[in-house]
Amino acid sequence: GTVAVLNYQTGELLCAVSNPTFDPENMGETVESMFFNRFTQGLYTPGSIFKLVTLGAALEEGVVAENSAYVCTGSLSFGKNRVTCAAPHGRQTVGEAFRNSCNCAFGKMALDLGGEKLSFYCEKFGITKEVLFDGIATPPGYYEKAASVDLAWSGAGQFTTRINPCSFLSFVGAVANGGVRVNPYVIGRVEEGGETLYSPGRPSGERILSQETAEKLQSYLRSNVRDKYGDS
């Protein structure tokens, strides 16, 4: 697994751990996976964290509003195929559907957006782009335009979608930063003989979300903790 902590205003990576790892002074029996940095090199099926992308795209496109409602009966049928939820959630607002991590609601949201639009926002949000910093290049993520049940599952972070943890952390950082994404960095500066040879510079930032959408996503995320799991 991997865990990383980002200063979303400056781009400074405060922590980035990939496991399993190794001690260079006591290698012992090496395993190839020890040398694979899951944070910068990995590509994974995102699952429900991708609902933040789907919701962000839907808000930007005006597909959903504060008073939008979704009804979940526990499944969404497409002939012999279906999208399923852990339990029927009934009638929900957008915030409640996000809080419940409702696959049916986000499947419908993806269908309302369409594969072309969802693919466009994956690119705009940086999900399918490589991240370049300190001489490191992350692998670009992957989103496949689809229809019907596949498109619905993609809205819930399933189907063939793959993301890199570093690029997704940068996207979440942009949500926290009012819609402006700053590039991550590890190395603060390199000096030699009093001369600065390298520094990441001041983050200029790139707006990938409107301020309004970012603030709505912040409020929904805050509600997830406060109203679903509890602050304690």
Side-chain angles (χ1 to χ4, degrees), residues 50-87:
F50 190 81
K51 288 168 183 169
L52 192 62
V53 176
T54 305
L55 182 53
L59 288 167
E60 291 282 86
E61 280 295 304
V63 168
V64 297
E66 290 282 351
N67 59 353
S68 296
Y70 293 92
V71 177
C72 170
T73 61
S75 67
L76 190 60
S77 295
F78 297 83
K80 294 181 179 179
N81 300 311
R82 54 188 191 144
V83 170
T84 57
C85 271

Side-chain angles (χ1 to χ4, degrees), residues 4-11 13 39 46-54 56 98 121-122 124-127 131 163-184 206 208-210 213-222 224-225:
V5 181
L6 175 76
N7 182 325
Y8 61 84
Q9 294 175 315
T10 67
L13 273 168
F39 178 64
S48 288
I49 63 169
F50 190 81
K51 288 168 183 169
L52 192 62
V53 176
T54 305
F98 188 54
Y121 280 100
C122 282
K124 184 182 179 183
F125 295 163
I127 304 300
V131 179
I163 64 165
N164 170 259
C166 181
S167 68
F168 197 81
L169 180 61
S170 297
F171 164 66
V172 177
V175 173
N177 200 34
V180 177
R181 178 194 172 281
V182 296
N183 217 44
E206 173 193 7
I208 61 172
L209 283 157
S210 68
T213 295
E215 288 176 354
K216 283 182 180 177
L217 292 175
Q218 289 172 25
S219 69
Y220 290 144
L221 286 164
R222 180 72 189 96
N224 283 1
V225 177

Side-chain angles (χ1 to χ4, degrees), residues 18-21 30-38:
S18 177
N19 196 60
T21 186
T30 59
V31 179
E32 188 175 345
S33 64
M34 291 178 175
F35 303 107
F36 183 77
N37 188 316
R38 284 158 172 74

